[in-house]
Amino acid sequence: MSTSIISVRNVHKWYSGVHALKGVSLDFAPNEAVGLIGDNGAGKSTLINILSGAQPASEGEIMLEGKPVKINSPRDAMDLGIETIYQYNSMVPTMSISRNLFIGREPLKYSMFGLGVMDRKKMAEESVQAIAGAGLHLRSPDALVGELSGGQRQGVAIARAMHFKSKVMILDEPTNHLAVKETQKVIGFVRSLKELGITGIFISHNIHHVFECCDRIVAMARGEVVLDKRTEDTNMKEILDVL
Amino acid sequence: MKKDRQKVKRLLKIYMEKPELAALVLLVLLIAVFQIQSDGIFLNANNLRGILGILPEIGLMVVGVTILMICGEFDLSVGSVFALMPMVMAVLLADGLPFIFAFLIGTAVAAMIGFINGYLTIKFSIPSFITTLGMLFIARSLTIVVSGGFPPLLPNELPTWLFTAFVGPGDIFRMSFLWFAAVVILMSLLMNRTNFGNWVRATGGFLPAAQAMGIPTARVKIACFMLCSMLAGFAGMIQVLRLGSPLPSIGEGWELQAVAAAVIGGTALAGGVGTIIGGVIGAVLIRVIDNGLVLSQVDANWFKFAIGFLTIFAVVANAWLGKRAKAIKLET
């Protein structure tokens, strides 16, 4: 299995006495869209938090393209090419699209100790490219994110991940709180990741959404993987039964 | 034709979304009213000299408070730090320490207070309203303790001119105004042009997103607390040098005036929104009202009424303008 882009080996997580992850092992192939489903408390969010650097694993190993890696912070994950789009939306509504695209990764003209003057011209140019690259139609990168619809915001978040050439994109319940039409847009984005050579991990409560856009489905319950099949080899009933 | 109309609409939308607009309009109106009411005395050189001479003292404090509020936090201790920093300096100067060292130690004390405010707020996740309310009393008490009840006299050979001398055409500014202008420009650049400014806005705008994007939000907040405290201390030093003696009671009630100025200038209490220049406009407004009421021979007790009215009015006006701006639909 040397072809896996990201591998999780026997990962455990304890929260003050609660065993939230009980030795999870998973492999994600390059270019694959994987749906991760499970009820509340099944451990899917914990797994995602570990991969995105929000929490450390208590035990176990994570490998990126076969090499063991340490992910101690969101920054580490981003530097390794793992980008996470959260359900609560990873955008700051009071800031412009272009500023949002580069939060924490601003191109600098000159800098000392990591602080410096932003290259605003480069930011403006690249944000136009990034937005167009994701197939979004937006008036201008100077518009405030707060003025965009929920689906458009997720689109900008996805454009950001694409712009920074991430290898793995984790979408944590991106369709929550979205209107039907907007949901379809986000599902379209997940489908298009394949053409861009990005591995997508799509977390959802909604089995229908997962079936619509994923190649493979992983179901979790009580901190363990209870099902891991190609989408065409399973059906909704089987998944509902194991959850 | 249609393109032109879109252009006008876009400009209108951009300006209506500027949070400092309402304050600027008010300022221009008030200056006009006071100029007429005072029979043209308001804008003469003598009076301007009075306004601009005192403005930097509240202004510097407002700049710090504005940055901290954009970062999503709050500092009620600035009025006390305003008194403590120069008192520490005065005691050290009376002991024969050179000005520059007394200045550096005084600034370090202010920075330390800012650090404690920030550290406690973040470490124990308590509202900064509480931490800095406590610090308001602590720093004020320390000011009196340090002075030993009898404020020391300032030595004669201080570089006072560096902060209080009159300069400019018609001697219209004090040196303090130049310091103030330099700080305003520097802090505006910091907020608009540097990645740090971007992080401050993101941290105050939506904390979970800032954290998810790997911004060291705790350090950003603590830096803002320290900056705010140091600017308040610097402002206090300027006032003490102008008055020629360190009084333990200076700056009382200024913390709320500073918040009012920031809010009048369009800074949101919830964080993420605001500009340095807005805060400056707010500070100018407060000085203008204080001075203008006297010149118009209105009972000076109306001053606080006016500040209170303006604070509420500015926020309501901003909310209204923002809503109108949102209603202007542009092609997407």
Side-chain angles (χ1 to χ4, degrees), chain A residues 40 46 54-55 63 80 87 115 123-124 136 165 179 204 214 240:
Chain A
N40 287 339
T46 308
Q55 297 172 346
M63 286 183 287
L80 290 168
Q87 54 181 330
L115 297 178
M123 283 168 71
L136 282 169
K165 309 246 178 306
S204 185
C214 295
L240 286 173

Side-chain angles (χ1 to χ4, degrees), chain B residues 46 54 153 157 170 223 274 308:
Chain B
N46 252 326
I54 307 178
L153 291 174
E157 59 288 354

Side-chain angles (χ1 to χ4, degrees), chain B residues 164-186:
Chain B
T164 60
F166 283 104
V167 288
D171 276 353
I172 200 149
F173 305 125
R174 279 178 188 266
M175 282 293 283
S176 59
F177 187 82
L178 299 184
W179 286 97
F180 176 51
V183 166
V184 168
I185 292 167
L186 245 137

Side-chain angles (χ1 to χ4, degrees), chain A residues 16-61:
Chain A
S16 51
V18 179
H19 203 174
L21 282 184
K22 300 171 184 165
V24 170
S25 295
L26 278 171
D27 290 283
F28 300 98
N31 236 351
E32 192 180 34
V34 182
L36 185 57
I37 55 177
D39 223 330
N40 287 339
K44 53 189 191 338
S45 292
T46 308
L47 178 64
I48 286 335
N49 282 343
I50 290 170
L51 286 177
S52 62
Q55 297 172 346
S58 306
E59 204 177 286
E61 201 176 25

